[in-house]
Amino acid sequence: MHLPAAKVSGYVALMIVQIVFLVLFWLFVRYHKGAMPMAIGGDGDGKKESEPLGEGGISKYPQFQDVQVMIFVGFAFLMTFLRKYGYSATGFTLFLASLVVQWSILMKGFLHLEGGKIMLSLESLIDADIAAAVPLISMGALLGRTTPIQLLFMALVEIALFAANEFVALNVLKITDTGGSITVHAFGAYFGLAVAFILRPSKDQNEAGKHEGPTYTSDLFAMIGSLFLWIYWPSFNSVLAQDTGSERAILNTFLSLAAATVSAFVVSAIVSHENKLDMVHVQNSTLAGGVAVGTVCNFLIGAHGAVLIGIIAGTVSVLGYRYLTPWLTANLRLHDTCGVHNLHGMPALISAIASIIYASQATIEGSYEAEIWKVFPAWDNSLADNEHQAGIQAVHQLYGIGMTLLIAIGGGILMGAILKYTSFRNLQKDEHHLDEYFWEVPEEKKDE
Amino acid sequence: MHLPAAKVSGYVALMIVQIVFLVLFWLFVRYHKGAMPMAIGGDGDGKKESEPLGEGGISKYPQFQDVQVMIFVGFAFLMTFLRKYGYSATGFTLFLASLVVQWSILMKGFLHLEGGKIMLSLESLIDADIAAAVPLISMGALLGRTTPIQLLFMALVEIALFAANEFVALNVLKITDTGGSITVHAFGAYFGLAVAFILRPSKDQNEAGKHEGPTYTSDLFAMIGSLFLWIYWPSFNSVLAQDTGSERAILNTFLSLAAATVSAFVVSAIVSHENKLDMVHVQNSTLAGGVAVGTVCNFLIGAHGAVLIGIIAGTVSVLGYRYLTPWLTANLRLHDTCGVHNLHGMPALISAIASIIYASQATIEGSYEAEIWKVFPAWDNSLADNEHQAGIQAVHQLYGIGMTLLIAIGGGILMGAILKYTSFRNLQKDEHHLDEYFWEVPEEKKDE
Amino acid sequence: MHLPAAKVSGYVALMIVQIVFLVLFWLFVRYHKGAMPMAIGGDGDGKKESEPLGEGGISKYPQFQDVQVMIFVGFAFLMTFLRKYGYSATGFTLFLASLVVQWSILMKGFLHLEGGKIMLSLESLIDADIAAAVPLISMGALLGRTTPIQLLFMALVEIALFAANEFVALNVLKITDTGGSITVHAFGAYFGLAVAFILRPSKDQNEAGKHEGPTYTSDLFAMIGSLFLWIYWPSFNSVLAQDTGSERAILNTFLSLAAATVSAFVVSAIVSHENKLDMVHVQNSTLAGGVAVGTVCNFLIGAHGAVLIGIIAGTVSVLGYRYLTPWLTANLRLHDTCGVHNLHGMPALISAIASIIYASQATIEGSYEAEIWKVFPAWDNSLADNEHQAGIQAVHQLYGIGMTLLIAIGGGILMGAILKYTSFRNLQKDEHHLDEYFWEVPEEKKDE
């Protein structure tokens, strides 16, 4: 109980990081034009229309707020299922996300400088929130097995790698990935799993942590996270969609989630012990539909396409929890506390595969029409040679997921090695999944 | 503890239902025109304005998301008040709603085919979420006394009856019911109560279930549901309102809820044991104002009209919980776990009565003006003979609630008989209100 | 346990208040023009565009709903951290807010009558929700040490004082206070602290209440409140901003919160016992960034300005919890259950000081341009003599916070005296922080 406390030096280093951010914001960040007052005389009286949500710069504000709930309540509470790790689940999510959103504005800004400055807008915040999802997914794989200092250091490096990979995928390879299944979910999941693999326990310590299970109450807290993620997932997938793709992203995501949920419940009952439903599946696999439809959410996949993807994702995810994760733990000593491989990893692969298939079939006439270049950025402007261009986009999707896996797994292995072999304190087995090493925890009273 | 598990066959049947849905989506459902790319050349460069929330098809998206929270978090957590039924409350709500939204898109779509196809749009999802409220209300009456298979079977049939009743009420009887108090709340409540009546226990088993009470913690979880329902109720009532009726729906619903809340607290303190407040009243009767103002929320009832309706609803609802529900249980053996009669049933009747009164007084000049035909669909286009038309609308409202009660109660009785006398497994008294028959529940550790 | 119950007379008085509100609504409140149907013939067919959220009267609806979540879920759950006071935290928040929003519509309406009537619109509801924050902040200082009747009586008087102070500050002194740090946060905090000072215990009863601590579970419930407040704070600060100031308010508030959060975590770890993080700091000090940036949120403070304010606020807030609050309790017997001085009081002073500094530096050319009169209402219309006008605004800001403190503290002392020396029942020390005196609380079962 009274082991040496977390080193202060790590926290001091984070304060220095915050102050460095302050300086970088001062040197490089400026409000974008739309958030600056209009020059007097510009349009007579300098008055702009006063419709805060109906136009221009901040028309995506409601969707942004939905994504905020997903990051700060969704991820936070989804990870409260552990019986003695709820302070860390909610607190470290808040800490990590608050650090990372600032870093992400800077990192992504440096990749898109205008006149040597980073232009700050609501879009920057949306991008930052989406970026924050990446290390939070990785955190799920490692939940309870790192110190907060390790976690935050990992997040800072991971964001830089993520931003670089995403930049290349979107701007060089010109892949399409509206819901971020490739660049966000696959990256975060496999990066985290690679770190977990390097930090794997020795053979004699491969059993589950003694505090790793849920309580009845902690499982209900986790449902808060799960349900808010479910509800707002259509916003996550649609917030960066363009034109009529926005509505398709909403429709497809909703249907995929609904079908994944039904499938996850049914498969959970069929494969579980005594045919009882398992809360782990309900909290997580129901969401696999949102991940699996992500990359293709703005495609013309049709309602049936969305439902089919949902059925596959919900089923694969539950089977992953039931059979694959225990196998990985037993054979590779790969621990994955939240099962991010089943919620984010495999469903993201499904999404990538779906994007390859659908992209290879895309046509202009009678289907994508004038939106073809927005949905499929690898297409060039010639209207001829459709089939060839569809093939190029499909191949680029394949390259995109390939590169993402490579960078995520390579980066994760490197990061794991840094966390393990440098001067970071590593938790011992019996310190796992316990708030009390990092938090003041109230003593339990006899009368309660 | 180790009784025979839920039959797998029920779950397999539900998977078949999901696959049938897939086929029906494939055969019949298409994106509506607004979610399809515009043909090249249509307006020069085929570009549409890119304002995802400011125009056209998805301008109601924020209100839709509010309704999503009500269905998936509001209903789910409101029903977590039972001490050992929180997994089922949240999980079955998610399961049921995910199944039912798909079914509702199909059912309502078949009633409004265009060229043999169902046009899928954000409106479809809004309608589907509202429809999902119906079996969730019924579930409240039965909470803890059915198997999930019974519940989901009931929901599928109930949605079909609901869609038919709503279609006739709105399109044939031309009633006005913007907030759905008649077609949604009254239908769901009385259908559920009718099922509960058929499934009533034998005389020697009429006492409350031994696991029926709350714990301190479960009551706080229930407050999550209650408060989100409270907050977003103005969105539920206004999402289908038209023109200036949208803002009136918001204003009236907000005021009615506030007045109902104050009244419910006061009456709860006055009628309760030792004048102590009762969490059941606080969780539920505060919301009665939202139901009671539903049908008239877009009428010109004035702020005082909204407050008056709220006062009546909050008061009636608490009195119902305190006196009527125990009487019904004792005398009719009608168990109503969540007291949906007090939260949905009676307040919906109040709303129907209010709509009859207000509709009979409606005039064009100086009040409803050009919106008269939108607020009161039974009015014809002649500007003369106001009084006569107002009378017709009032009578149609009466027919509407009458038909709804008839179909809900009749359908509920039939459904109850099917659940009771066919091959569905029925729960025994000591299996009531317990998650552990359907869920893996963590064992309680000594050290907690 | 079985002391005399709360007097019924208080509840009856509240019912009378509700009925008086009903009469006042009937006599004075009318829908504003935008919520009234357009006269036939007005524009041909009397049809308006049907874009519920994209235009005119209710374009701020999504931000309003965010504020609703802050008031009814945010404040409610933030105060559930006490182990035996969760029913009161959530329930009394709901009761108080429902009473106060009605009263606020009336009070603020009487200060802005049009033709002898109060015009009801979505703006009225937004103002009412913001006003509700004021007594809820005061409630935080007193949490667990008053009866509900004392609390609600206090709230009714406080709203009247708040409305008067705000009216003078905004319309006579013409201060700028978009996020309400001066008129809402400083007022609510110092009013509540003044009441708490008058109600301070005798010297021999100055120790902490025996039920004053949290449990593991109650701390997680409090995180629900904290996180939703964090997420939606940009909406609170921006909902009343104008023109391009809306987006700046969002950007600045987000960055200030993020920086305050990182700083609060770091400082918490550094100053706490054994360098462990303290949930009180995490739940509260992370939000100080939202308060501290409130008054200047729509200024041209730059991203670095927002981050700097956040760092200062997070740091000061944690130091306040760690050192100042215990000192005030020990030396002045000033108890502050939720530490509102650290979350609302001091950060609001920081915001006021920031507004003085920034206002004194404001210029037209190249910066505020045509928005200068909207951001700084004390400026007159002459374009010359910038420096002088900037000085006037700065001085007015100083007067504004000075007057607010004076009225809040004076009013709080008076209110404390009324609560203490008139016929209100005062709680005894051992009745503090306990739901069971006002609520039916379930008995704990042996098997749980």
Side-chain angles (χ1 to χ4, degrees):
Chain A
M1 188 75 86
H2 291 288
L3 296 200
K7 285 184 221 160
V8 174
S9 60
Y11 288 108
V12 172
L14 288 169
M15 196 72 224
I16 294 169
V17 168
Q18 176 64 63
I19 290 164
V20 171
F21 286 175
L22 171 63
V23 174
L24 293 174
F25 274 105
W26 175 55
L27 293 175
F28 291 105
V29 180
R30 299 291 177 271
Y31 300 122
H32 81 125
K33 193 160 163 279
M36 290 297 293
M38 199 175 288
I40 293 182
D43 66 343
D45 63 352
K47 226 181 94 191
K48 286 197 183 178
E49 301 289 316
S50 175
E51 288 188 54
L53 297 167
E55 66 159 39
I58 57 170
S59 64
K60 286 176 174 177
Y61 186 66
Q63 281 162 294
F64 162 65
Q65 286 294 49
D66 295 350
V67 175
Q68 289 262 82
V69 174
M70 294 177 73
I71 299 297
F72 289 91
V73 166
F75 277 100
F77 275 94
L78 187 60
M79 296 195 275
T80 57
F81 71 99
L82 292 173
R83 66 160 57 88
K84 288 170 177 290
Y85 208 64
Y87 289 10
S88 299
T90 54
F92 295 161
T93 297
L94 177 60
F95 193 1
L96 186 155
S98 296
L99 192 72
V100 150
V101 290
Q102 299 178 64
W103 181 222
S104 163
I105 291 170
L106 293 166
M107 273 305 301
K108 296 191 119 184
F110 286 129
L111 294 170
H112 298 91
L113 288 175
E114 293 179 29
K117 299 296 176 193
I118 294 167
M119 291 295 125
L120 183 72
S121 68
L122 181 67
E123 296 273 337
S124 320
L125 307 194
I126 292 170
D127 285 344
D129 264 15
I130 291 173
V134 177
L136 289 174
I137 291 167
S138 304
M139 176 178 162
L142 299 161
L143 194 71
R145 301 199 309 279
T146 67
T147 68
I149 303 301
Q150 287 180 309
L151 200 64
L152 289 158
F153 176 77
M154 180 194 85
L156 290 172
V157 177
E158 185 176 2
I159 286 290
L161 280 177
F162 154 75
N165 178 66
E166 190 201 48
F167 183 84
V168 174
L170 298 183
N171 295 286
V172 180
L173 289 180
K174 292 186 183 299
I175 72 163
T176 177
D177 189 26
T178 303
S181 297
I182 294 172
T183 52
V184 173
H185 293 284
F187 190 96
Y190 287 101
F191 184 96
L193 290 168
V195 174
F197 181 70
I198 300 300
L199 299 182
R200 69 191 182 281
S202 60
K203 277 184 190 168
D204 58 325
Q205 296 204 318
N206 198 34
E207 73 284 5
K210 67 179 170 181
H211 306 294
E212 208 168 343
T215 63
Y216 195 76
T217 299
S218 71
D219 259 341
L220 285 174
F221 278 116
M223 281 303 280
I224 297 173
S226 183
L227 291 171
F228 275 107
L229 286 169
W230 202 102
I231 289 164
Y232 288 134
W233 211 293
S235 293
F236 189 93
N237 280 353
S238 70
V239 68
L240 297 182
Q242 291 181 297
D243 299 345
T244 63
S246 292
E247 189 169 356
R248 287 197 302 277
I250 292 166
L251 300 172
N252 291 333
T253 305
F254 181 87
L255 286 173
S256 181
L257 284 166
T261 299
V262 172
S263 308
F265 268 90
V266 168
V267 178
S268 178
I270 291 175
V271 301
S272 292
H273 177 64
E274 289 187 332
N275 301 124
K276 289 181 177 182
L277 295 163
D278 187 325
M279 279 300 265
V280 171
H281 307 160
V282 169
Q283 286 156 9
N284 293 281
S285 298
T286 53
L287 300 168
V291 178
V293 86
T295 302
V296 301
C297 67
N298 58 333
F299 288 17
L300 291 162
I301 58 175
H304 58 287
V307 169
L308 180 62
I309 288 171
I311 291 173
I312 294 170
T315 303
V316 167
S317 181
V318 170
L319 296 177
Y321 275 104
R322 186 72 179 83
Y323 302 109
L324 184 56
T325 296
W327 186 91
L328 291 172
T329 304
N331 291 280
L332 303 185
R333 287 175 275 143
L334 179 57
H335 290 248
D336 177 4
T337 316
C338 297
V340 299
H341 190 238
N342 310 304
L343 167 48
H344 300 278
M346 290 192 296
L349 297 182
I350 293 170
S351 203
I353 294 167
S355 81
I356 295 168
I357 296 171
Y358 281 108
S360 73
Q361 308 294 322
T363 57
I364 296 182
E365 257 178 88
S367 56
Y368 289 96
E369 299 281 356
E371 287 185 20
I372 192 83
W373 303 284
K374 292 189 172 173
V375 176
F376 298 111
W379 283 51
D380 62 37
N381 271 319
S382 83
L383 287 174
D385 207 8
N386 264 3
E387 214 167 310
H388 179 64
Q389 300 204 46
I392 288 176
Q393 183 74 52
V395 171
H396 283 214
Q397 295 301 112
L398 185 62
Y399 289 165
I401 182 69
M403 176 184 73
T404 298
L405 291 177
L406 213 71
I407 295 181
I409 293 172
I413 288 172
L414 207 69
M415 174 53 60
I418 294 171
L419 295 181
K420 188 165 183 177
Y421 299 114
T422 62
S423 62
F424 287 102
R425 184 167 90 81
N426 280 281
L427 291 181
Q428 301 305 306
K429 183 79 185 176
D430 59 358
E431 296 173 304
H432 285 178
H433 314 107
L434 275 183
D435 278 335
E436 62 197 41
Y437 291 107
F438 306 105
W439 295 88
E440 295 276 358
V441 174
E443 284 181 47
E444 311 217 9
K445 292 279 173 72
K446 282 292 167 292
D447 66 286
E448 275 165 326
Chain B
M1 187 75 85
H2 292 286
L3 295 201
K7 284 185 221 157
V8 174
S9 60
Y11 288 107
V12 172
L14 288 168
M15 197 72 223
I16 294 168
V17 169
Q18 176 64 63
I19 289 165
V20 170
F21 287 175
L22 172 63
V23 174
L24 294 174
F25 274 104
W26 176 55
L27 293 175
F28 291 106
V29 179
R30 299 293 177 270
Y31 301 122
H32 81 126
K33 194 160 162 277
M36 289 298 292
M38 198 174 287
I40 293 183
D43 65 346
D45 63 352
K47 226 181 94 191
K48 286 198 185 179
E49 301 289 317
S50 176
E51 289 186 53
L53 297 167
E55 66 160 37
I58 58 171
S59 64
K60 287 178 174 175
Y61 186 65
Q63 282 162 294
F64 163 65
Q65 286 294 48
D66 296 350
V67 175
Q68 289 261 83
V69 175
M70 295 177 73
I71 298 298
F72 289 92
V73 166
F75 276 100
F77 276 94
L78 186 61
M79 296 195 275
T80 56
F81 72 99
L82 292 173
R83 67 159 56 89
K84 289 169 176 290
Y85 208 64
Y87 289 11
S88 300
T90 54
F92 294 161
T93 296
L94 177 60
F95 193 1
L96 185 155
S98 296
L99 192 73
V100 150
V101 290
Q102 298 177 65
W103 181 222
S104 163
I105 291 170
L106 294 165
M107 273 305 301
K108 295 190 118 183
F110 286 129
L111 294 170
H112 298 92
L113 288 175
E114 292 179 29
K117 300 295 177 194
I118 293 167
M119 291 295 125
L120 183 71
S121 68
L122 182 67
E123 296 274 336
S124 319
L125 307 194
I126 293 170
D127 285 345
D129 264 14
I130 292 173
V134 177
L136 289 173
I137 292 167
S138 305
M139 175 178 162
L142 298 161
L143 194 70
R145 302 199 309 279
T146 68
T147 68
I149 304 300
Q150 288 180 308
L151 200 62
L152 289 158
F153 175 78
M154 180 194 86
L156 290 172
V157 178
E158 185 175 2
I159 285 290
L161 280 177
F162 155 76
N165 178 65
E166 191 200 48
F167 183 84
V168 174
L170 298 183
N171 295 286
V172 180
L173 289 181
K174 292 185 184 299
I175 72 163
T176 177
D177 189 27
T178 302
S181 297
I182 293 172
T183 52
V184 174
H185 293 284
F187 190 96
Y190 288 100
F191 184 96
L193 290 168
V195 174
F197 181 71
I198 300 301
L199 298 182
R200 69 189 181 283
S202 61
K203 276 185 191 168
D204 58 325
Q205 296 204 318
N206 199 34
E207 73 284 4
K210 67 180 170 179
H211 306 294
E212 208 168 344
T215 63
Y216 194 75
T217 299
S218 71
D219 259 340
L220 285 174
F221 277 117
M223 280 303 281
I224 298 172
S226 182
L227 291 171
F228 274 107
L229 286 169
W230 202 100
I231 289 165
Y232 288 134
W233 212 292
S235 292
F236 189 92
N237 280 353
S238 70
V239 69
L240 297 182
Q242 290 180 299
D243 297 346
T244 64
S246 290
E247 189 170 357
R248 288 197 301 278
I250 292 166
L251 301 173
N252 291 334
T253 305
F254 180 87
L255 287 173
S256 181
L257 284 166
T261 300
V262 172
S263 308
F265 269 89
V266 168
V267 178
S268 178
I270 291 175
V271 301
S272 291
H273 177 65
E274 290 186 332
N275 302 125
K276 290 183 177 180
L277 295 162
D278 188 325
M279 279 299 266
V280 171
H281 306 159
V282 168
Q283 286 156 9
N284 294 281
S285 299
T286 54
L287 301 168
V291 178
V293 84
T295 302
V296 300
C297 67
N298 58 335
F299 288 17
L300 292 161
I301 58 175
H304 59 286
V307 169
L308 180 63
I309 288 172
I311 292 173
I312 295 170
T315 303
V316 167
S317 180
V318 171
L319 295 178
Y321 274 105
R322 186 73 179 85
Y323 302 110
L324 183 57
T325 296
W327 187 90
L328 291 172
T329 304
N331 291 279
L332 302 186
R333 287 176 274 144
L334 179 57
H335 291 248
D336 177 5
T337 316
C338 297
V340 300
H341 191 238
N342 310 304
L343 165 49
H344 301 278
M346 290 192 296
L349 296 183
I350 293 171
S351 203
I353 294 167
S355 80
I356 295 169
I357 295 170
Y358 281 107
S360 73
Q361 308 294 323
T363 58
I364 295 181
E365 256 178 89
S367 58
Y368 289 96
E369 299 281 355
E371 287 185 20
I372 192 82
W373 302 283
K374 292 189 170 172
V375 178
F376 299 111
W379 282 51
D380 62 39
N381 271 318
S382 82
L383 288 174
D385 205 8
N386 265 4
E387 213 169 310
H388 178 64
Q389 301 203 45
I392 288 176
Q393 183 73 53
V395 171
H396 283 213
Q397 295 300 112
L398 185 62
Y399 289 165
I401 183 70
M403 177 185 72
T404 298
L405 291 177
L406 212 71
I407 295 181
I409 293 172
I413 288 173
L414 207 67
M415 174 53 60
I418 294 171
L419 295 181
K420 188 166 185 177
Y421 299 114
T422 62
S423 61
F424 287 100
R425 184 166 89 81
N426 279 279
L427 291 181
Q428 301 305 305
K429 183 79 185 176
D430 59 358
E431 295 172 305
H432 284 178
H433 314 108
L434 276 183
D435 278 334
E436 62 195 42
Y437 291 106
F438 307 105
W439 296 87
E440 294 277 357
V441 174
E443 282 182 48
E444 311 218 7
K445 292 278 172 72
K446 281 293 169 289
D447 67 285
E448 277 168 324
Chain C
M1 188 73 86
H2 291 288
L3 297 200
K7 284 185 222 158
V8 173
S9 59
Y11 288 107
V12 172
L14 288 168
M15 196 72 224
I16 294 169
V17 168
Q18 176 64 64
I19 290 164
V20 170
F21 286 174
L22 171 63
V23 174
L24 293 174
F25 274 103
W26 175 55
L27 294 175
F28 290 105
V29 179
R30 300 293 178 268
Y31 301 123
H32 81 126
K33 191 160 163 278
M36 289 297 294
M38 199 175 288
I40 293 182
D43 66 343
D45 64 351
K47 226 181 94 191
K48 287 197 185 180
E49 301 289 316
S50 176
E51 289 188 53
L53 297 166
E55 67 158 39
I58 58 170
S59 65
K60 287 177 174 176
Y61 185 67
Q63 283 162 292
F64 162 65
Q65 286 293 50
D66 295 351
V67 175
Q68 289 261 83
V69 175
M70 294 177 73
I71 298 298
F72 289 91
V73 166
F75 277 99
F77 275 94
L78 186 60
M79 296 195 276
T80 57
F81 72 98
L82 293 173
R83 67 160 56 89
K84 290 170 175 288
Y85 207 64
Y87 289 10
S88 299
T90 54
F92 295 161
T93 296
L94 177 60
F95 193 0
L96 186 155
S98 296
L99 192 73
V100 150
V101 290
Q102 299 178 64
W103 181 221
S104 163
I105 291 170
L106 293 166
M107 272 305 301
K108 296 191 119 185
F110 286 130
L111 293 169
H112 298 93
L113 288 175
E114 293 179 30
K117 298 298 177 193
I118 294 167
M119 290 296 124
L120 184 71
S121 69
L122 183 66
E123 296 273 335
S124 320
L125 306 194
I126 292 170
D127 285 344
D129 264 14
I130 292 173
V134 177
L136 288 174
I137 292 168
S138 305
M139 175 178 161
L142 298 161
L143 194 71
R145 301 199 309 280
T146 67
T147 67
I149 303 301
Q150 287 179 308
L151 200 63
L152 290 158
F153 176 76
M154 181 194 85
L156 291 172
V157 177
E158 185 176 2
I159 286 289
L161 279 177
F162 155 76
N165 178 66
E166 191 201 48
F167 183 84
V168 174
L170 298 183
N171 296 285
V172 180
L173 290 180
K174 291 185 185 299
I175 72 163
T176 176
D177 189 26
T178 302
S181 297
I182 294 171
T183 51
V184 174
H185 293 285
F187 190 96
Y190 288 100
F191 185 95
L193 290 167
V195 173
F197 181 71
I198 300 300
L199 298 183
R200 69 191 181 282
S202 60
K203 277 184 190 169
D204 58 324
Q205 297 205 317
N206 198 34
E207 73 283 5
K210 66 179 171 181
H211 305 295
E212 206 168 344
T215 63
Y216 195 75
T217 299
S218 71
D219 259 340
L220 285 174
F221 277 117
M223 281 303 281
I224 298 172
S226 182
L227 291 171
F228 274 107
L229 286 168
W230 202 101
I231 289 163
Y232 289 134
W233 212 292
S235 293
F236 190 92
N237 280 353
S238 70
V239 68
L240 298 182
Q242 290 181 298
D243 298 346
T244 64
S246 291
E247 190 169 357
R248 287 197 302 278
I250 291 166
L251 300 173
N252 292 332
T253 305
F254 180 87
L255 287 174
S256 181
L257 284 165
T261 299
V262 172
S263 308
F265 269 89
V266 169
V267 179
S268 178
I270 290 175
V271 301
S272 291
H273 177 64
E274 291 186 331
N275 302 124
K276 289 181 177 181
L277 295 162
D278 188 326
M279 280 299 266
V280 172
H281 306 161
V282 169
Q283 286 156 8
N284 294 280
S285 298
T286 53
L287 300 168
V291 178
V293 85
T295 302
V296 301
C297 67
N298 59 332
F299 289 16
L300 291 162
I301 58 175
H304 59 287
V307 170
L308 180 63
I309 288 171
I311 291 174
I312 295 171
T315 304
V316 167
S317 180
V318 171
L319 296 178
Y321 274 105
R322 186 72 179 83
Y323 302 109
L324 184 56
T325 297
W327 187 90
L328 291 172
T329 304
N331 291 280
L332 302 185
R333 287 176 273 143
L334 179 57
H335 290 248
D336 177 3
T337 316
C338 297
V340 300
H341 190 237
N342 310 305
L343 167 48
H344 301 278
M346 290 192 296
L349 296 183
I350 293 171
S351 203
I353 293 167
S355 80
I356 294 169
I357 296 171
Y358 281 107
S360 73
Q361 309 294 321
T363 57
I364 294 181
E365 257 179 87
S367 58
Y368 289 96
E369 300 282 355
E371 287 186 20
I372 192 82
W373 304 283
K374 290 190 171 171
V375 177
F376 298 111
W379 283 50
D380 62 37
N381 270 320
S382 82
L383 287 175
D385 206 9
N386 265 4
E387 214 169 308
H388 178 64
Q389 300 203 47
I392 288 175
Q393 182 74 53
V395 171
H396 282 213
Q397 294 301 113
L398 185 63
Y399 289 165
I401 183 68
M403 177 184 73
T404 297
L405 291 176
L406 213 72
I407 295 182
I409 293 173
I413 288 173
L414 207 69
M415 174 52 61
I418 294 171
L419 294 181
K420 187 164 184 177
Y421 299 114
T422 60
S423 62
F424 286 102
R425 184 166 90 82
N426 279 280
L427 290 182
Q428 301 305 306
K429 183 78 184 177
D430 60 357
E431 295 173 306
H432 286 178
H433 313 107
L434 275 183
D435 277 336
E436 62 197 40
Y437 291 106
F438 306 107
W439 295 87
E440 294 277 358
V441 174
E443 284 181 46
E444 311 216 9
K445 290 279 173 73
K446 281 293 168 288
D447 66 286
E448 277 168 325

